[in-house]
Amino acid sequence: MCIQRNDYILVLMSKHMKVSILGIDGYIGWALALRLIGKGHQVVGVDSLYTRMRVKEVGSQSVTPIESMENRIKILREKTGENIEFFQGDVNDPEFMYSVVEKTKPDAFVHLAEQRSAPYSMIGLKQARETLMQNMGGTINLVYAMKDIVPDAHLLKLGTMGEYGTPNIDIPEGFFTIEYNGRKDTLPFPKFAGSWYHWSKVHDTNNLMFANRVWKLRITDVMQGVVYGTRIPEITDTGLFTRFDIDEVWGTALNRFCTQAVLGLPVTPYGKGDQRRGFLSLEDAVSCLMIGLEKPPEEGEYRVYNQFDQHYSVNELAGIVKERGEKVLGRDVHIERVENPRVEMDQHYYNPENKKLRNMGYVPVGDLRKDIDSILMDVDRFRERAEQVKNAIAPRTFWKKSVGLH
Ligand code: USQ
């Protein structure tokens, strides 16, 4: 049956969607699955369990205890009566991707199944190649499978604010209008990423724009900032926790800072600490993705939005973690600026726009100080698990020392 644009929107608004989450076992994937199920949508999950394996390899683990995928789904079924159809496999395998899309034919895909760590991609040639091939491979498989099997479905793809880098001018949402030699055009904003991981997302973006141009696929490319937090309201049971990484490879800034405070380690802004990034809570990340799904693009539309709540410098965040940590934990928290293992500007202009999601109805609920208190309390609760991987926290992946063939 061929459905027209307006019918398609009506179908999405009136019925519940079938959403395929590629990367359902991850930090955001699992939280999004809980939200979608809670709202009555049907969820299909795909994951190779790659992040679990790679985190283990660097001698780390999620500080929040996470169940096996099988148990997660079982617990969810017991609590809600709803099931998730789960396919374990690699989206970079075209046969696997086609067979899952053929079997499930979803209304929408949320593609989170990518290697998501900048430091991992900078360890050496092996990891750089893995990141580039894996991420671009999965995305190209997906757009082909969509075109051949479900050309009217919506792809919501997770990109990153890091695609833009830190230019000395304002950052628009994907495109800008520019005049050059007396002529004007609206063009993709130039990208200037800071790791092989971030570049892999830029390459994906280019490939998605092209897939949209030739096959008219409906695509949302989300430029997301750094996510923090352990909680969304749907996490009502220890068995439903999403992962929470804190090591130097897989952990992100604010989550690491909170863990350092709990463990009595110095909080570590890298370099001068004046580098700014857009941040958002896990709750806001999930609610933005829900808005993107429930308000899909026009037929044949490729749209981009910048997904973050506020931007902060890492020094500002370290200061707030110190203040909250001392209050919540009742002891001193020290800040120690350490040598920056990355090659990045640690003092720069930063003014990215983030109006589109707000115009679509996003009202941030993240309250930074309250969210930090809640992270501190959760990490303190699972302190023993954090202690077990204490040695994996200090930075040891240096961009300049990325290992070659030998
Ligand atoms: N940083 C510190 N101290 C630390 C850890 C990080 O100062 O202990 C600094 C880094 O130098 C960097 C900033 O904090 O300037 C952000 O680093 P991060 O590790 O929190 O985040 P990043 O590597 O940029 O990547 C993370 C996610 C990635 C996502 C990205 C969004 O791992 O999947 O795409 O955030 S964004 O940063 O907006 O590109």
Side-chain angles (χ1 to χ4, degrees):
M1 185 183 62
C2 169
I3 41 178
Q4 300 301 312
R5 153 82 193 158
N6 287 345
D7 296 339
Y8 176 83
I9 298 289
L10 280 176
V11 167
L12 285 185
M13 285 166 69
S14 59
K15 76 158 192 168
H16 287 124
M17 284 178 278
K18 184 182 203 182
V19 180
S20 179
I21 305 179
L22 314 180
I24 193 171
D25 193 46
Y27 180 43
I28 294 166
W30 180 245
L32 178 65
L34 295 179
R35 175 67 43 87
L36 281 163
I37 293 282
K39 296 240 177 208
H41 299 290
Q42 196 183 336
V43 173
V44 172
V46 179
D47 209 297
S48 63
L49 310 183
Y50 172 93
T51 305
R52 288 184 191 241
M53 173 181 79
R54 290 284 181 251
V55 171
K56 213 174 187 177
E57 276 174 11
V58 297
S60 192
Q61 64 184 0
S62 166
V63 168
T64 46
I66 50 167
E67 294 288 337
S68 66
M69 200 62 217
E70 205 186 6
N71 278 352
R72 284 178 148 181
I73 295 172
K74 189 163 155 267
I75 294 164
L76 186 68
R77 206 165 37 232
E78 284 161 9
K79 292 221 148 242
T80 65
E82 299 300 327
N83 193 29
I84 291 178
E85 200 181 351
F86 177 63
F87 297 84
Q88 185 174 339
D90 185 354
V91 293
N92 195 22
D93 170 357
E95 308 280 340
F96 171 73
M97 178 70 93
Y98 264 71
S99 84
V100 172
V101 176
E102 189 63 64
K103 273 186 208 139
T104 56
K105 296 197 173 70
D107 301 302
F109 295 87
V110 181
H111 181 19
L112 310 165
E114 296 206 328
Q115 191 300 89
R116 52 128 163 122
S117 159
Y120 182 80
S121 74
M122 296 304 299
I123 293 174
L125 175 60
K126 177 174 166 288
Q127 292 80 3
R129 285 180 53 81
E130 181 182 311
T131 304
L132 290 164
M133 307 302 164
Q134 187 71 28
N135 291 0
M136 282 194 284
T139 299
I140 202 74
N141 289 343
L142 177 58
V143 290
Y144 264 90
M146 282 178 68
K147 149 187 111 61
D148 286 345
I149 305 165
V150 279
D152 209 33
H154 169 206
L155 166 58
L156 184 69
K157 159 75 170 51
L158 202 72
T160 170
M161 282 301 293
E163 291 187 32
Y164 301 116
T166 52
N168 201 26
I169 57 172
D170 294 353
I171 299 173
E173 302 194 65
F175 292 84
F176 73 152
T177 301
I178 184 161
E179 198 176 322
Y180 180 64
N181 286 350
R183 296 182 65 82
K184 239 186 186 179
D185 204 351
T186 297
L187 296 169
F189 190 74
K191 303 294 164 66
F192 210 66
S195 72
W196 296 122
Y197 155 73
H198 288 98
W199 278 111
S200 76
K201 297 277 188 179
V202 176
H203 304 323
D204 277 343
T205 287
N206 290 333
N207 295 345
L208 291 176
M209 282 193 289
F210 184 64
N212 162 266
R213 182 141 51 93
V214 283
W215 302 319
K216 303 278 174 261
L217 297 182
R218 235 180 258 279
I219 298 175
T220 306
D221 205 354
V222 179
M223 301 299 132
Q224 186 172 254
V226 190
V227 181
Y228 59 85
T230 47
R231 295 275 175 168
I232 58 167
E234 287 83 351
I235 300 176
T236 51
D237 184 296
T238 313
L240 292 179
F241 264 116
T242 194
R243 59 177 314 115
F244 182 83
D245 294 296
I246 48 91
D247 59 84
E248 60 109 20
V249 175
W250 298 97
T252 50
L254 185 52
N255 290 348
R256 283 166 51 72
F257 291 173
C258 291
T259 308
Q260 288 167 329
V262 170
L263 294 180
L265 297 170
V267 171
T268 56
Y270 292 160
K272 291 195 187 82
D274 288 327
Q275 59 272 48
R276 299 188 81 79
R277 296 291 182 272
F279 283 80
L280 74 168
S281 66
L282 182 61
E283 168 59 30
D284 281 341
V286 167
S287 71
C288 287
L289 294 175
M290 289 298 296
I291 291 170
L293 286 169
E294 286 170 346
K295 298 184 176 169
E298 301 284 330
E299 185 184 355
E301 186 189 357
Y302 167 81
R303 67 179 181 188
V304 180
Y305 46 68
N306 295 345
Q307 182 164 305
F308 65 94
D309 175 8
Q310 300 287 335
H311 53 84
Y312 303 95
S313 75
V314 287
N315 276 338
E316 282 166 0
L317 291 177
I320 301 171
V321 168
K322 176 176 164 64
E323 170 210 313
R324 298 313 307 164
E326 290 182 345
K327 183 139 182 105
V328 172
L329 306 166
R331 59 179 152 72
D332 288 350
V333 174
H334 298 285
I335 298 175
E336 190 181 308
R337 270 177 279 283
V338 297
E339 180 191 348
N340 195 338
R342 306 184 181 203
V343 176
E344 62 183 0
M345 278 192 266
D346 48 15
Q347 260 179 336
H348 57 86
Y349 179 77
Y350 199 57
N351 190 25
E353 280 173 14
N354 58 353
K355 290 191 200 113
K356 285 194 195 169
L357 269 163
R358 280 162 166 88
N359 291 341
M360 288 162 71
Y362 164 48
V363 181
V365 297
D367 172 328
L368 187 62
R369 285 178 167 74
K370 273 197 201 142
D371 288 335
I372 289 176
D373 290 359
S374 143
I375 301 173
L376 290 166
M377 285 185 285
D378 273 331
V379 175
D380 203 37
R381 176 172 164 208
F382 301 113
R383 194 198 166 94
E384 216 169 282
R385 291 178 58 83
E387 291 277 1
Q388 286 163 1
V389 295
K390 205 172 175 173
N391 292 340
I393 294 178
R396 55 185 176 209
T397 305
F398 289 82
W399 271 215
K400 285 195 173 144
K401 294 184 186 157
S402 192
V403 181
L405 190 53
H406 300 294

